[in-house]
Amino acid sequence: MDLQVLIEQMETGEQDTVLTVLQSFNKQMSQCFTFSREEKMDREHLGELVMSFLNRELQPPCLLTCLETVRILSRDKHGVDPFISCSAMSTLAGYAGIATVCPATLVQGQPAEGHVDDEEEAAEGSSTMKESCCASENPDQEVIVEALKSICNILLHNETGQVVAAELQLIKGLAKRLKQSHNPTWTHEVRFFDLRLTFLLTALRVDVRAQLAQELHGIRLLGNQLDAALGLSWPDRLETARAGFEGIPPDQLPPLSRQQTELAMEILKILFNITFDTNRRKVDEEEAAEYRHLGAILRHCLMSQSDGEERTEEFHSHTVNLLGNLPLPCLDVLLMPKVQQGSIEYMGVNMDAVNMLLDFTEKRLERGHKLKETLLPSLNLLTESARIHRETRKFLRSKVLPPLRDVTHKPEVGDSLRNKIVRLMTHIDTDVKDCAAEFLFVLCKESVSRFIKYTGYGNAAGLLAARGLLRGGRGPGIYSEDEDSETEEYREAKSRINPITGVVEEEQPNPMEGMTEEQKELEAMKLLNMFDKLSRTNVIQPMQLDMDGNMREMTTKDLHKLTHNPVIQPEDPAHSDSEDEAQ
């Protein structure tokens, strides 16, 4: 339909005419998500006319059609100007049932950034608020959904719209309706788009994020939402079950419905936004209790399946991301459920959740796609859990670093989980390789000799250099006492293992065999001169360890000194490979 003709019909002001032409426009543009620049002015004019209609008393069909038009027009990120004024946003919020602030108050006080502060807009805002108050009581949930979708589009495309939405306190209206989650009168679409709009507000506005978390008690509010969406019951204080399926093992529960999963994932994303900095600060007892309660629900999410493998993995991914935000001491809820028939037990503790995390991590590792985004959240979570919970660390070590028997293959060669993670220690992405090394280092109780035993010195050198541990020793972590658990195979081959590669290698002929001392010295000086030349031309930068175990640049004088006075470091018996292998 020609926009000029449509605008002329709109300007007649007759509802029947407007309804007919907009229905035709909406049908034609229902699947349109790209817009031409040439018609931008006409589309904006149409948007202004539609918004003026929404400020009138309309028949339900005409009202719904106008909101559908706004939704379509708001898809154009370059054409949302008619919808980002204080009055327009307030009108839409009213129809969405989440209006809480009169726009006239905002105009008379501190206006939204980039908006005109004049008497005409104040008057328009005042009249709009009256209409919005009526609209907020509108029981037509189709109208509510269309208005919510339009606001979501506007926030997604326009920063000024985000500012106005924050000033209109839309988050308060959303929080008020979210408290009614148990009310069966609200449709799934209303609940979903309430959550989607809340997610966008918390993702795009730091102030709204803080307001929801603190003023509106977002952790408790959204925890209750998640509880309701999953249909949980609580057999014990921090133990969950599916209502009506108490006592049934998690792997025998029916999968969550598509609607349940959709709501749960939106809630998980919002909770991630408002807890983003939680694990970097201390929390008081009351907050810790809230996070433990939330952690128990997240454990249930981790053990639940959705409708299809792909959706289940997405659901678990959001769950893992959020678990990584919880205060570390609160992760003990993962181990709290009692051991039941079919549970994985280790040292008397239920390891179902930890085992699920490990399986999830291995799947992401095998996929090998965007490892930084997909693998690191779960690997970091396992690392921190192993660092603070002895049972978790020992269980993970039994799975990832079992007693070493095969010393004929390099640590990075093979299909075991250890081999796969060791390969990551030389990954091109620094964050990935550091995370992989840290995980294995914690499983080795931060013992340098044990770490080298399982990874080889060449793979371990990066982490050891960063920690100043190239000379050996231990990291600062506090772990239980050691016990000897070397396998017979390892003990027999130990003296023949090359510590750099971590395997027994075939004996190589001595290249200096048959050479006199003078010839050996001549070869050493040749090597020194080659290093010196490469160093002077900045091809390489020779390094050496200082007395603190840290790397520093090596000068020509240092190289010359080492050739005449080599420093041989005797092995420290306190940190030799005979060190115990207790988990």
Side-chain angles (χ1 to χ4, degrees), residues 313-441:
E313 186 170 343
E314 184 184 2
F315 180 42
H316 287 170
S317 178
H318 290 303
T319 304
V320 169
N321 290 343
L322 181 53
L323 276 168
N325 283 359
L326 298 192
L328 296 180
C330 299
L331 293 178
D332 57 359
V333 296
L334 296 178
L335 310 177
M336 282 188 174
K338 301 179 184 71
V339 177
Q340 299 176 346
Q341 186 176 0
S343 297
I344 297 174
E345 180 185 354
Y346 193 85
M347 297 177 65
V349 176
N350 187 321
M351 286 293 169
D352 287 344
V354 177
N355 189 65
M356 180 67 78
L357 279 172
L358 190 61
D359 288 345
F360 177 82
T361 301
E362 189 166 10
K363 285 180 185 176
R364 291 296 175 94
L365 185 54
E366 287 174 353
R367 191 164 299 164
H369 180 63
K370 293 185 177 179
L371 289 177
K372 186 172 181 178
E373 293 80 8
T374 60
L375 176 68
L376 261 56
S378 58
L379 199 54
N380 273 323
L381 181 58
L382 287 173
T383 301
E384 296 307 324
S385 297
R387 199 191 303 275
I388 61 173
H389 296 122
R390 176 171 175 263
E391 295 85 358
T392 299
R393 175 177 53 77
K394 297 187 77 170
F395 173 77
L396 289 173
R397 181 153 179 237
S398 72
K399 295 286 187 179
V400 181
L401 299 178
L404 196 57
R405 299 181 187 280
D406 180 8
V407 290
T408 60
H409 295 90
K410 292 182 179 180
E412 64 270 25
V413 176
D415 296 323
S416 72
L417 189 51
R418 172 179 77 111
N419 303 141
K420 295 172 185 176
I421 297 176
V422 170
R423 283 198 288 272
L424 291 183
M425 293 171 66
T426 52
H427 195 275
I428 190 171
D429 190 301
T430 304
D431 290 334
V432 172
K433 71 177 184 180
D434 288 349
C435 184
E438 182 73 15
F439 176 58
L440 295 181
F441 194 48

Side-chain angles (χ1 to χ4, degrees), residues 252-272:
Q252 296 179 20
L253 289 174
L256 297 170
S257 69
R258 187 181 187 88
Q259 291 189 349
Q260 282 180 301
T261 310
E262 285 179 347
L263 294 178
M265 287 196 294
E266 291 300 314
I267 296 167
L268 292 172
K269 291 191 291 184
I270 301 166
L271 281 165
F272 179 85

Side-chain angles (χ1 to χ4, degrees), residues 199 304 445 529-530 564:
F199 166 70
S304 298
K445 299 199 285 191
N529 290 333
M530 285 191 287
H564 289 80

Side-chain angles (χ1 to χ4, degrees), residues 240-285:
T240 60
R242 188 91 60 86
F245 295 91
E246 291 84 355
I248 297 179
D251 58 346
Q252 296 179 20
L253 289 174
L256 297 170
S257 69
R258 187 181 187 88
Q259 291 189 349
Q260 282 180 301
T261 310
E262 285 179 347
L263 294 178
M265 287 196 294
E266 291 300 314
I267 296 167
L268 292 172
K269 291 191 291 184
I270 301 166
L271 281 165
F272 179 85
N273 289 342
I274 66 175
T275 59
F276 189 69
D277 64 342
T278 303
N279 63 1
R280 293 188 288 273
R281 63 180 177 84
K282 289 185 177 180
V283 293
D284 57 31
E285 288 186 16

Side-chain angles (χ1 to χ4, degrees), residues 67 185 210 364 478 558:
L67 287 171
T185 58
R364 291 296 175 94
I478 300 174
D558 293 325

Side-chain angles (χ1 to χ4, degrees), residues 118-355:
D118 57 21
E119 293 180 4
E120 182 179 347
E121 182 164 334
E124 184 183 357
S126 180
S127 64
T128 302
M129 190 59 191
K130 293 176 183 177
E131 297 293 335
S132 298
C133 290
C134 298
S136 65
E137 299 170 2
N138 194 320
D140 189 342
Q141 297 194 42
E142 284 187 286
V143 167
I144 293 175
V145 169
E146 288 297 332
L148 287 171
K149 288 179 179 179
S150 298
I151 298 172
C152 286
N153 286 345
I154 294 164
L155 297 191
L156 197 59
H157 296 316
N158 189 272
E159 188 174 350
T160 303
Q162 298 163 17
V163 174
V164 175
E167 291 186 345
L168 287 173
Q169 299 288 306
L170 298 191
I171 192 64
K172 286 187 175 180
L174 287 165
K176 182 178 179 181
R177 191 154 66 207
L178 287 175
K179 292 176 182 177
Q180 305 170 15
S181 61
H182 298 285
N183 190 335
T185 58
W186 296 113
T187 65
H188 169 73
E189 275 203 302
V190 171
R191 293 177 183 176
F192 178 81
F193 283 103
D194 276 348
L195 292 168
R196 174 58 59 86
L197 181 53
T198 305
F199 166 70
L200 288 173
L201 284 168
T202 55
L204 298 168
R205 297 286 303 182
V206 176
D207 54 341
V208 175
R209 198 181 303 162
Q211 182 182 13
L212 178 59
Q214 298 164 19
E215 179 186 339
L216 300 174
H217 308 289
I219 306 297
R220 186 183 306 124
L221 172 64
L222 291 161
N224 292 338
Q225 286 288 304
L226 194 53
D227 186 327
L230 298 172
L232 298 184
S233 63
W234 294 81
D236 205 346
R237 189 172 65 89
L238 291 174
E239 191 170 339
T240 60
R242 188 91 60 86
F245 295 91
E246 291 84 355
I248 297 179
D251 58 346
Q252 296 179 20
L253 289 174
L256 297 170
S257 69
R258 187 181 187 88
Q259 291 189 349
Q260 282 180 301
T261 310
E262 285 179 347
L263 294 178
M265 287 196 294
E266 291 300 314
I267 296 167
L268 292 172
K269 291 191 291 184
I270 301 166
L271 281 165
F272 179 85
N273 289 342
I274 66 175
T275 59
F276 189 69
D277 64 342
T278 303
N279 63 1
R280 293 188 288 273
R281 63 180 177 84
K282 289 185 177 180
V283 293
D284 57 31
E285 288 186 16
E286 184 178 350
E287 286 180 304
E290 282 188 0
Y291 284 119
R292 276 198 168 86
H293 182 83
L294 177 59
I297 301 177
L298 295 181
R299 183 189 183 280
H300 185 91
C301 292
L302 200 61
M303 302 305 298
S304 298
Q305 302 293 313
S306 183
D307 59 331
E309 186 176 345
E310 187 175 335
R311 187 168 289 270
T312 297
E313 186 170 343
E314 184 184 2
F315 180 42
H316 287 170
S317 178
H318 290 303
T319 304
V320 169
N321 290 343
L322 181 53
L323 276 168
N325 283 359
L326 298 192
L328 296 180
C330 299
L331 293 178
D332 57 359
V333 296
L334 296 178
L335 310 177
M336 282 188 174
K338 301 179 184 71
V339 177
Q340 299 176 346
Q341 186 176 0
S343 297
I344 297 174
E345 180 185 354
Y346 193 85
M347 297 177 65
V349 176
N350 187 321
M351 286 293 169
D352 287 344
V354 177
N355 189 65

